[in-house]
Amino acid sequence: MQIEILFEDDYIIIVNKPNNVLIHNSYYARNIKDDTLLDLLQKQFNTDFYPVHRLDRKTSGVIVLAKQKEHVSIFQDLFNANKIEKTYIAIVRGFFETEVVVNSPVKNPDTKVYKEAETFCEPIATKLLEIPVHPYQTSRYSLVKLKPATGRMHQLRIHMNKISHPIVGDYKYGDRFHNRMFETEFNSHNLFLHAYSIQFEHPISKKYISVNTSFPNDWLLIFKVFDWNFN
């Protein structure tokens, strides 16, 4: 599997992570034996990289990795200080038509402690399908832009479910009937959450970095079927 490179300099590499690829091995995913993103990059470049931030296995899109371990904390400081802007695109259940800020706390899976979390949600497009999904005779979907102000685990998935617009393909927090419809009608089993872009001032070079990603193939199919254009 060839990993798409979005940006590279002497300090970092920014790549487009595919769906269902772990960034690195962990206790929570100890039963998954497939190559991780770090494994794939090591094979591709014959060198090691060091993740600066997290991205769920099921989420595709932009992720920043440092070339030297000692540089990780320099870039992580940008995240901790909210000096990095990340934009995600998601397909959710129902018609989502109004901007909203979701600020309900999210529970840490390790400590079981709830932490403050905030996500800005913006509608992009909607689609009504003449395909019945229990308990309705039609099905409705929305394309949305999500900007997290915090970085809690599963934050976007939890927040969208909290406001009754779960992300399609989310088998933990989502709607099984809509997930099943996407499997049956579109042969899609992936989570429709994509880390689309990232912007920040490079802490070493001081250059402004702005990177957008391409979408996975299952997204392109849905864009075509739903007649959605996104640039």
Side-chain angles (χ1 to χ4, degrees):
M1 185 187 298
Q2 195 80 359
I3 302 300
E4 180 186 8
I5 309 305
L6 305 170
F7 173 86
E8 183 178 5
D9 66 9
D10 292 338
Y11 307 99
I12 58 171
I13 187 170
I14 304 179
V15 306
N16 189 3
K17 187 185 83 65
N19 288 107
N20 301 316
V21 172
L22 286 168
I23 295 176
H24 51 70
N25 291 314
S26 70
Y27 173 80
Y28 295 107
R30 56 193 178 279
N31 295 323
I32 298 173
K33 306 302 180 185
D34 296 334
D35 281 346
T36 66
L37 180 66
L38 295 186
D39 293 332
L40 294 168
L41 288 171
Q42 211 286 331
K43 292 177 181 179
Q44 191 168 328
F45 289 92
N46 196 31
T47 189
D48 292 328
F49 296 96
Y50 305 91
V52 171
H53 59 109
R54 295 191 305 265
L55 204 59
D56 288 347
R57 177 173 73 92
K58 293 179 178 295
T59 304
S60 56
V62 62
I63 184 166
V64 182
L65 305 103
K67 291 187 172 182
Q68 303 295 331
K69 196 170 185 179
E70 57 266 28
H71 291 148
V72 170
S73 61
I74 298 174
F75 288 89
Q76 284 181 337
D77 287 344
L78 296 180
F79 284 91
N80 296 335
N82 282 333
K83 292 183 178 179
I84 286 186
E85 181 176 332
K86 292 187 292 179
T87 300
Y88 293 75
I89 305 299
I91 298 175
V92 301
R93 182 192 71 187
F95 280 180
F96 184 90
E97 299 174 299
T98 306
E99 292 182 0
V100 65
V101 176
V102 185
N103 54 16
S104 58
V106 170
K107 184 168 67 173
N108 184 291
D110 294 322
T111 63
K112 309 302 181 185
V113 174
Y114 282 89
K115 293 188 176 182
E116 294 299 316
E118 182 175 288
T119 304
F120 174 73
C121 312
E122 177 185 337
I124 301 173
T126 58
K127 182 67 176 181
L128 172 68
L129 297 179
E130 299 297 333
I131 301 174
V133 175
H134 178 82
Y136 303 105
Q137 292 304 306
T138 58
S139 45
R140 296 180 174 189
Y141 300 98
S142 297
L143 186 68
V144 299
K145 182 184 295 184
L146 306 175
K147 292 188 176 183
T150 52
R152 311 304 180 201
M153 185 176 290
H154 296 172
Q155 174 179 319
L156 302 182
R157 296 163 63 184
I158 292 170
H159 274 178
M160 295 314 292
N161 183 50
K162 182 79 174 180
I163 60 173
S164 299
H165 291 288
I167 298 172
V168 174
D170 192 335
Y171 292 88
K172 183 176 178 67
Y173 306 102
D175 184 313
R176 70 183 187 277
F177 297 110
H178 289 268
N179 294 344
R180 191 175 304 149
M181 190 279 276
F182 266 66
E183 294 173 6
T184 303
E185 297 292 333
F186 308 120
N187 193 30
S188 177
H189 303 260
N190 290 322
L191 175 70
F192 279 91
L193 178 62
H194 183 67
Y196 175 68
S197 68
I198 194 165
Q199 292 86 32
F200 60 95
E201 182 184 286
H202 197 296
I204 301 173
S205 72
K206 302 305 179 183
K207 292 181 179 179
Y208 185 73
I209 308 299
S210 180
V211 174
N212 294 345
T213 62
S214 57
F215 286 88
N217 288 334
D218 51 348
W219 280 82
L220 300 180
L221 170 65
I222 297 302
F223 284 162
K224 183 177 180 180
V225 173
F226 286 21
D227 194 27
W228 281 344
N229 293 310
F230 181 80
N231 296 309

